[in-house]
Amino acid sequence: MAAQLADSLIKVGRAISTAFTCLVWLGACAAPTARDVALATATLTASATPTAAPTPSPTPLPTPTLAPPPGDRYAGWAVVAYPDVPQAEMEAMLRRLKAAGANMVWIGQNNPGEVRADKTEPGLSYAVWAAAQSVQHPEHETALAMIEAQHRMLRAARAVGLPAVFPIGYQIHMGRDWRDLHPKEMRHDAAGQWLDLFNGGVSASPYSSAYRADIRRYYEWVHAEFVVPYRDVLLMLNLADEPLGGDYSLPAEQEFIARTGRTFGEADAPSLGAFQDHVIVDYAVWSAEQWLDLAPDLPVTMSFCGVQGRWSYRMPNVEALFRETPRNFVLTFDAYLHDYLPWAPLTEAEVGSLALFVRTLGFYSQRYGREFWLWSAGNRWGLAGYDSPNPGGVGDALANGYLLALAARSTGGDLRGIAVWNYNVREQGLYGDADPAPYDREMLFARVSGSFAEWRRLMAAPDSRARVLLLLTDRAAHTYLGETRNAVRDSPVHFDSLLPFTRLDMPAAVVGALPALDDIEAIFVLDPTPQTLATSELATLRTFANNGGQLFASAAVLKELWPDTRPAGTIPLPASPYKMTVSDWAGLFPGATGIHVSGGGRSLFYAPAEAAALPGSINWQVFDHNGQPRVSAIELRAHEFALSP
């Protein structure tokens, strides 16, 4: 069996157009030799004038002459517009960001979507607008102050010359007043309780006619108040942050009845799961259509939850977002190395799942001809904090951006921007956080900002194509969602177990249905039984393997495809794909460590949690945990990364 696996993977590897194929996929080359590496790249040397007392900046390093980055790719910091910060201070902050390398600014969200003077993340939302309309509202003055802060930040962006992504909502939050007025119009879970996702607040059902009427009036106000006067500085309008999950409310059930003729209680599991998987897609489509009517030339986005994405690929259905949203809609996902409580450890499994997820986004971006954006980490939430057993630092923040740019290009993705979260958000930002940081703040700011130009170049570098598909059919996923009736972050497959795919630099994507297979060399079927595979899918898999493609599937699926003798390139998985662990997958691909991602003509090798030997005798440029070059290295320590020249 081991020889058969090796032979099969060699066949797949030969078809991958990268210089690292045999090194990376099979871990079979000779031990690497030590080489002197270049002492600098242009991406790690920028400095800036700090707004607070700085620590000494690292000595600038000699840099090669590089072509200017493309003007239609963006990289910058996310910032929060606080009501107590004057415009002059906002301008000074944005000038610092621009001088350090940013060519855009992403203005932060109103999380949660309430009106509060003491918020750590104040911004615009329906509740803020509604409170501002009535002088009798107890939060009227607070709402006016929050609105005026957004005006000041946009005026500052105009004065500095930084185009801005401007937020106008959080999830589908309408605020306490609206909730109390329309309790049956709120999203519910399957047990009939208001749906409060991760204790982030309850939200309206996107199918509610009351919601749609009120949010349309709010959108019209936003258009008049902000879009018309600031159109010259608006890069995109962010309609909502982190919308996710399903909806078992009365308005949602009425929509389901209109589509299927059945109630939720009468529905079969696949139909119910398919509807729940599509709730946020429907929300994105309807919302974007309102802006096609109001401002057809203005791109709009929603920044979706990367945790929901990388652990489930569902609720919302990722492919459907690319396939069905109008052309004015640009997808954004937060894509931090660590997207969990800051005192939890940064792990290799979560970084591996992120790389696979971004490659999947790149695949769908290429397939449907759609642009997308990502957020990377620049604070203790996205890197893990000082009190974490394994906190990240400067090197990890740099590796995050490179990973996103390279992973997107490895599968043909049109990544247009990276926004780093977050510069000044109180209680967690790079600045404004009273807690100790496990990194030098000034060094992190200078080196991350200085990498923006290279990230932008890599976003526009020649792309590659996906060569490997991991098939978890829509029917399998929807059946599971319908049976469990969970409304958030749920999947029959534990995607963190697929870590070996990113240890081996496989240009892989997770799909719910088989596309054209022209460039595909290997398919891994994650459905454990043939019952969830359509007859057409079984026929496609059979033809693919009979023509020399490599097919990995459960014994039950292979038996259905070939009752007697199957082709040599078909490999039975050692257990049910739903139950396979990291060790099970690693048994198919022995000898690899670290995270390896190639795309856009370069390669990243990264050790987020433990030491890893550099693959092959490549002339790697190695950078330590502070992002400083380290010469003659043949192994990465934890929190170090390496780039191919």
Side-chain angles (χ1 to χ4, degrees):
M1 176 62 74
Q4 184 183 22
L5 288 174
D7 289 344
S8 299
L9 288 174
I10 289 171
K11 288 182 67 178
V12 178
R14 285 173 182 159
I16 308 301
S17 55
T18 169
F20 309 109
T21 298
C22 73
L23 306 174
V24 175
W25 278 57
L26 303 177
C29 291
T33 58
R35 292 174 181 264
D36 291 337
V37 298
L39 292 178
T41 67
T43 65
L44 302 174
T45 60
S47 60
T49 303
T51 57
T55 56
S57 297
T59 303
L61 300 166
T63 61
T65 301
L66 297 173
D72 61 347
R73 301 298 193 278
Y74 297 92
W77 288 85
V79 302
V80 176
Y82 286 105
D84 60 348
V85 175
Q87 183 170 336
E89 189 173 329
M90 291 182 179
E91 285 190 25
M93 176 176 62
L94 297 191
R95 290 189 193 282
R96 187 188 189 212
L97 301 185
K98 185 175 182 179
N103 71 336
M104 57 75 63
V105 61
W106 190 297
I107 302 173
Q109 60 208 10
N110 188 42
N111 176 15
E114 302 286 358
V115 189
R116 285 200 346 233
D118 60 345
K119 290 174 67 72
T120 59
E121 299 179 53
L124 286 185
S125 67
Y126 173 87
V128 174
W129 167 71
Q133 304 311 300
S134 172
V135 295
Q136 284 79 36
H137 197 286
E139 295 163 329
H140 177 71
E141 295 300 324
T142 297
L144 292 179
M146 293 170 70
I147 291 169
E148 178 53 33
Q150 303 301 309
H151 279 288
R152 290 200 302 275
M153 186 62 80
L154 288 174
R155 290 196 295 267
R158 175 184 284 155
V160 171
L162 275 183
V165 179
F166 185 62
I168 65 170
Y170 184 76
Q171 292 190 12
I172 321 177
H173 287 188
M174 297 292 279
R176 291 186 300 272
D177 294 343
W178 199 94
R179 177 200 68 191
D180 293 343
L181 189 62
H182 303 284
K184 294 184 179 180
E185 309 292 305
M186 305 301 291
R187 290 166 76 194
H188 287 68
D189 62 21
Q193 302 299 309
W194 283 342
L195 183 60
D196 189 353
L197 301 173
F198 307 125
N199 297 315
V202 297
S203 60
S205 169
Y207 302 106
S208 162
S209 58
Y211 163 77
R212 291 186 173 186
D214 287 346
I215 208 70
R216 171 68 190 212
R217 289 194 298 130
Y218 169 59
Y219 283 174
E220 290 170 352
W221 174 82
V222 170
H223 180 258
E225 183 80 7
F226 288 101
V227 173
V228 172
Y230 299 107
R231 183 63 188 90
D232 59 309
V233 76
L234 293 179
L235 188 61
M236 286 194 299
L237 206 62
N238 185 14
L239 306 183
D241 288 276
E242 300 179 334
L244 71 159
D247 185 3
Y248 284 87
S249 68
L250 178 60
E253 187 167 32
Q254 291 172 337
E255 178 68 21
F256 184 75
I257 292 170
R259 296 182 186 183
T260 68
R262 292 171 291 172
T263 66
F264 285 157
E266 297 166 342
D268 61 272
S271 297
L272 179 59
F275 180 84
Q276 297 300 324
D277 194 22
H278 224 73
V279 167
I280 298 302
V281 179
D282 291 340
Y283 169 55
V285 170
W286 184 89
S287 303
E289 287 174 345
Q290 306 312 299
W291 284 98
L292 271 178
D293 178 51
L294 291 167
D297 68 325
L298 177 63
V300 298
T301 188
M302 290 182 179
S303 50
F304 297 100
C305 177
V307 168
Q308 179 75 16
R310 78 173 86 170
W311 297 134
S312 70
Y313 294 80
R314 301 287 170 172
M315 295 190 297
N317 181 305
V318 172
E319 180 178 8
L321 287 172
F322 280 100
R323 183 183 62 230
E324 298 177 24
T325 50
R327 303 307 296 184
N328 66 329
F329 191 82
V330 180
L331 276 74
T332 299
F333 278 89
D334 62 61
Y336 316 133
L337 294 179
H338 175 76
D339 199 349
Y340 193 52
L341 301 172
W343 50 85
L346 173 64
T347 68
E348 187 181 23
E350 63 184 340
V351 178
S353 67
L354 172 64
L356 179 60
F357 180 61
V358 174
R359 280 181 158 149
T360 300
L361 296 178
F363 170 76
Y364 284 129
S365 168
Q366 187 276 328
R367 183 179 180 188
Y368 293 105
R370 304 295 294 268
E371 303 172 3
F372 69 110
W373 282 59
L374 296 170
W375 291 7
S376 70
N379 67 356
R380 67 185 178 97
W381 181 273
L383 297 172
Y386 73 96
D387 46 0
S388 164
N390 185 42
V394 178
D396 303 276
L398 292 168
N400 196 167
Y402 281 106
L403 183 151
L404 302 185
L406 295 176
R409 296 308 277 162
S410 73
T411 50
D414 187 5
L415 179 61
R416 288 300 172 118
I418 296 175
V420 181
W421 184 267
N422 178 288
Y423 182 81
N424 70 325
V425 61
R426 292 166 185 171
E427 299 182 14
Q428 101 177 208
L430 178 61
Y431 301 101
D433 183 359
D435 287 332
Y439 41 75
D440 183 290
R441 298 178 196 266
E442 294 300 325
M443 184 180 292
L444 190 149
F445 173 74
R447 293 193 178 281
V448 168
S449 300
S451 71
F452 288 163
E454 180 66 1
W455 293 357
R456 291 164 57 202
R457 276 187 285 267
L458 289 173
M459 289 180 219
D463 64 6
S464 301
R465 290 291 185 272
R467 295 290 189 266
V468 178
L469 297 179
L470 291 85
L471 174 65
L472 175 63
T473 63
D474 287 337
R475 184 171 181 84
H478 293 159
T479 299
Y480 180 82
L481 293 177
E483 289 174 346
T484 62
R485 296 196 167 209
N486 289 338
V488 66
R489 190 176 167 180
D490 202 12
S491 171
V493 170
H494 298 286
F495 286 99
D496 55 345
S497 70
L498 301 174
L499 173 62
F501 287 86
T502 45
R503 284 176 173 166
L504 293 165
D505 197 19
M506 287 190 188
V510 176
V511 297
L514 291 173
L517 302 179
D518 297 341
D519 297 322
I520 303 304
E521 303 294 337
I523 297 174
F524 293 77
V525 179
L526 302 182
D527 290 31
T529 68
Q531 281 70 34
T532 52
L533 291 158
T535 301
S536 59
E537 289 169 324
L538 291 168
T540 299
L541 292 172
R542 189 179 295 111
T543 300
F544 173 78
N546 287 339
N547 289 338
Q550 302 300 294
L551 179 63
F552 296 75
S554 70
V557 169
L558 294 179
K559 184 68 173 177
E560 177 72 19
L561 290 169
W562 295 280
D564 299 317
T565 303
R566 53 184 171 82
T570 55
I571 311 298
L573 295 175
S576 166
Y578 288 1
K579 297 179 180 180
M580 285 180 65
T581 65
V582 172
S583 296
D584 292 328
W585 287 109
L588 298 176
F589 318 118
T593 57
I595 302 294
H596 196 158
V597 177
S598 299
R602 299 193 76 181
S603 187
L604 168 76
F605 191 69
Y606 169 47
E610 57 187 41
L614 286 166
S617 55
I618 307 303
N619 189 26
W620 294 100
Q621 298 170 324
V622 176
F623 299 92
D624 67 16
H625 71 287
N626 284 323
Q628 297 274 28
R630 186 164 71 84
V631 300
S632 302
I634 61 172
E635 181 181 75
L636 296 187
R637 307 172 188 129
H639 306 289
E640 294 186 337
F641 70 98
L643 294 170
S644 65

